[in-house]
């Protein structure tokens, strides 16, 4: 892995850890003894740079060549930085790794105000964490309603109200022209003061290794319903895997922590001799202060969502369907409804 840290709780990088409510010792998934006892050889700070499918070898950036009988590609994704002046400045951050979170925390410790570019889940969770640290926080995004494309207008407007009630200032329907001299310039002429910025404008799958090796790549590494790539004895899991969705029937690529875990577990069972299609519905949660939204399924497009209960009273289930077929459910205060959907109609 290119990361020089042993596996850690990545979602917490934008949640409690960034907000200062989770200590550093909570972050590692396992203690060092686990890897030694389990005979897991961690090669950290060792990015894989070449894959030879014929020889069944992987070469790392420091020149090591490792052979394999079975290979699992789990190279994940990397943050995008739009080609806008200043978004690559030393005080312009992205948030993907524990190092990224630590850099933002150091910046926040000596800052008074910050701007978040993008109203993505990562962007909004970062905004919440910065407000919890006492910073004046601005969120700038081109859409009119945060997360409307994923969660629908009703949930998106509720999330915006939650953030506004905690002091976040939104600049929606706006484009960033640049960042310089401690100010973010917007398309309508406004300039927002920010000691630093965090860019949360999405990620792209890290497919260069797979593509150079000749694997089938199309917005991710293409796999079958067993998560097998186009090459024998090579699997892909997590953010890079583009697999057949049993609900919609099309190829999808999902960028969720729990989903990556479950795909990794499925690949392990395949390697150990099982033979079954991957059918677990995607699942994720997003925390905003003391509010949490849980989401099961995957709806790239959907008909007008059906809201059951009251979003404002934080007792709601929002169902996303297309042509009468349930694709996903988002819940606020109704965890059981999410679990029932995940175990029932969202599982094929």
């Amino acid at each position: 892995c290119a990361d020089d840290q042993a596996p850690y709780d990545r979602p917490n990088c934008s949640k409690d850890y960034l907000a200062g409510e989770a200590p550093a010792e909570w972050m590692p998934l396992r203690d060092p003894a686990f890897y030694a006892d389990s005979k897991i050889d961690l090669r950290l700070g060792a990015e894989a740079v070449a894959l030879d499918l014929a020889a069944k070898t992987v070469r790392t950036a420091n020149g090591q060549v490792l052979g394999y009988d079975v290979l699992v590609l789990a190279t994940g994704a990397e943050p995008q930085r739009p080609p806008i002046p200043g978004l690559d400045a030393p005080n312009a951050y992205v948030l993907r790794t524990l190092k990224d979170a630590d850099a933002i925390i150091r910046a926040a410790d000596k800052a008074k105000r910050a701007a978040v570019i993008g109203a993505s889940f990562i962007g909004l969770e970062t905004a919440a964490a910065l407000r919890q640290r006492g910073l004046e926080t601005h969120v700038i995004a081109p859409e009119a309603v945060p997360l409307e494309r994923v969660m629908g207008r009703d949930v998106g407007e509720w999330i915006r109200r939650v953030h506004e009630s905690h002091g976040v200032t939104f600049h929606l329907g706006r484009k960033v022209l640049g960042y310089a001299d401690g100010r973010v310039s917007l398309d309508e002429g406004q300039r927002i003061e920010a000691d630093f910025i965090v860019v949360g404008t999405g990620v792209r799958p890290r497919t260069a290794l797979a593509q150079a090796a000749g694997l089938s790549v199309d917005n991710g590494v293409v796999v079958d319903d067993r998560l097998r790539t186009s090459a024998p004895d090579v699997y892909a899991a997590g953010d890079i895997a583009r697999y057949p969705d049993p609900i919609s029937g099309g190829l999808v690529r999902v960028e969720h922590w729990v989903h990556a875990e479950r795909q990794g577990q499925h690949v392990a069972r395949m390697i150990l001799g099982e033979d079954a299609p991957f059918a677990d519905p995607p699942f994720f949660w997003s925390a905003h202060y003391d509010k949490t939204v849980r989401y099961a399924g995957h709806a790239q497009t959907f008909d007008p969502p059906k809201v059951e209960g009251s979003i404002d009273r934080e007792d709601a289930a929002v169902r996303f369907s297309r042509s009468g077929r349930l694709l996903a459910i988002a819940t606020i205060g109704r965890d059981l409804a999410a679990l029932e959907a995940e175990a029932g109609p969202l599982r094929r």
Side-chain angles (χ1 to χ4, degrees):
C1 182
D3 201 326
D4 60 6
Q5 304 259 5
Y8 50 85
D9 183 3
R10 191 182 296 274
N12 223 345
C13 289
S14 63
K15 296 179 172 70
D16 289 346
Y17 181 73
L18 187 62
E21 298 179 353
E25 54 265 29
W26 286 10
M27 296 302 283
L29 296 184
R30 303 281 188 172
D31 61 35
F34 167 81
Y35 300 102
D37 294 344
S38 303
K39 298 182 180 179
I40 296 172
D41 180 7
L42 288 179
R43 305 289 180 98
L44 301 174
E47 183 176 7
V49 295
L51 168 60
D52 188 328
L53 298 174
K56 287 193 167 184
T57 60
V58 176
R59 179 167 55 84
T60 66
N62 57 9
Q64 293 178 314
V65 177
L66 308 173
Y68 67 85
D69 296 315
V70 179
L71 176 69
V72 184
L73 290 173
T75 49
E78 59 192 2
Q80 300 184 78
R81 288 184 189 257
I84 297 173
L87 266 60
D88 57 351
N91 57 341
Y93 302 94
V94 294
L95 179 52
R96 181 71 179 177
T97 67
L98 187 55
K99 278 189 172 181
D100 293 335
D102 287 337
I104 294 170
I105 290 169
R106 288 193 297 270
D109 285 344
K110 53 188 178 183
K112 293 182 178 180
R113 59 187 67 84
V116 177
I117 313 301
S120 62
F121 288 107
I122 292 293
L124 291 175
E125 289 180 359
T126 298
L130 295 176
R131 282 298 300 139
Q132 287 173 274
R133 286 183 174 273
L135 274 70
E136 177 186 321
T137 304
H138 297 258
V139 174
I140 306 158
E143 59 266 36
V145 177
L147 304 177
E148 181 178 13
R149 184 181 62 82
V150 178
M151 292 283 189
R153 177 171 289 269
D154 291 334
V155 175
E157 289 181 338
W158 173 75
I159 290 175
R160 175 181 55 78
R161 291 195 296 272
V162 167
H163 281 271
E164 287 178 336
S165 72
H166 285 81
V168 171
T169 301
F170 282 92
H171 307 267
L172 299 172
R174 300 270 66 90
K175 293 182 180 179
V176 174
L177 300 182
Y179 176 57
D181 301 323
R183 292 181 177 84
V184 183
S185 301
L186 304 187
D187 54 348
E188 93 291 14
Q190 186 178 4
R191 303 181 76 188
I192 299 168
E193 292 189 8
D195 299 314
F196 68 92
I197 63 173
V198 180
V199 182
T201 53
V203 298
R204 64 170 65 89
R206 299 184 68 218
T207 57
L209 181 69
Q211 189 161 12
L215 294 175
S216 178
V217 171
D218 179 15
N219 183 28
V221 178
V222 178
V223 296
D224 65 10
D225 62 356
R226 267 72 172 170
L227 304 182
R228 298 174 295 206
T229 71
S230 56
D233 301 320
V234 180
Y235 295 82
D239 290 6
I240 63 167
R242 191 154 186 253
Y243 70 101
D245 177 20
I247 298 293
S248 68
L251 289 176
V252 297
R253 188 178 60 79
V254 177
E255 299 166 355
H256 304 325
W257 170 261
V258 173
H259 197 63
E261 287 181 309
R262 291 175 178 174
Q263 286 193 335
Q265 292 161 356
H266 188 85
V267 167
R269 291 191 292 268
M270 290 287 296
I271 294 170
L272 293 172
E274 291 189 17
D275 183 20
F278 177 74
D280 287 18
F283 169 82
F284 72 91
W285 76 102
S286 185
H288 307 264
Y289 312 95
D290 58 343
K291 319 295 183 188
T292 302
V293 181
R294 287 170 172 81
Y295 183 101
H298 186 70
Q300 291 179 306
T301 60
F302 45 84
D303 299 329
K306 180 181 178 182
V307 179
E308 301 169 1
S310 170
I311 295 174
D312 285 333
R313 289 197 296 270
E314 299 168 29
D315 177 24
V318 183
R319 299 181 185 273
F320 303 91
S321 303
R322 189 172 63 246
S323 302
R325 187 176 205 181
L326 181 67
L327 300 177
I329 181 172
T331 63
I332 304 167
R334 291 192 179 186
D335 294 358
L336 182 58
L339 291 169
E340 288 173 341
E342 189 179 350
L346 294 176
R347 186 177 295 272
R348 294 289 187 269

